[in-house]
Amino acid sequence: MDCSASQAFWDTTDPDPDRWTTLVLTRDGDWVAYDCGMVDFLVGFLTGEISPQPMGMFSPDQPVFLNWREERRLKEAGIDPWPHL
């Protein structure tokens, strides 16, 4: 899930996991299909080869992963953990 509540899923309708593709459910309830696996989707998204449009405001220019403890620590220190949003 990204900051705009869009979610990425595997389409597991094919019995062969090597053929699973990626579906994105946008916060508006629209499904967007990608003819690639999840790893290729995420790499393409983070490198800009796949448009960030269906994933809302998430910025592939500044990918960040924070666990909840680090996010809380930054907030308590008065630091915005998500300055690019």
Side-chain angles (χ1 to χ4, degrees):
M1 180 180 295
D2 74 351
C3 63
S4 68
S6 295
Q7 301 174 54
F9 298 91
W10 275 300
D11 178 355
T12 62
T13 54
D14 194 303
D16 181 358
D18 291 333
R19 295 185 182 177
W20 291 355
T21 57
T22 303
L23 297 171
V24 171
L25 176 60
T26 68
R27 68 184 293 168
D28 298 323
D30 298 321
W31 287 96
V32 181
Y34 291 88
D35 191 25
C36 60
M38 185 66 71
V39 171
D40 289 334
F41 171 79
L42 292 173
V43 169
F45 179 69
L46 292 173
T47 61
E49 293 177 31
I50 292 178
S51 168
Q53 284 301 89
M55 295 300 283
M57 293 175 55
F58 183 85
S59 172
D61 296 333
Q62 298 175 327
V64 175
F65 171 80
L66 294 177
N67 64 48
W68 67 270
R69 289 180 186 96
E70 180 65 7
E71 181 179 17
R72 180 190 296 166
R73 185 191 70 76
L74 291 170
K75 286 180 179 179
E76 288 174 353
I79 299 169
D80 181 1
W82 309 108
H84 61 282
L85 301 179

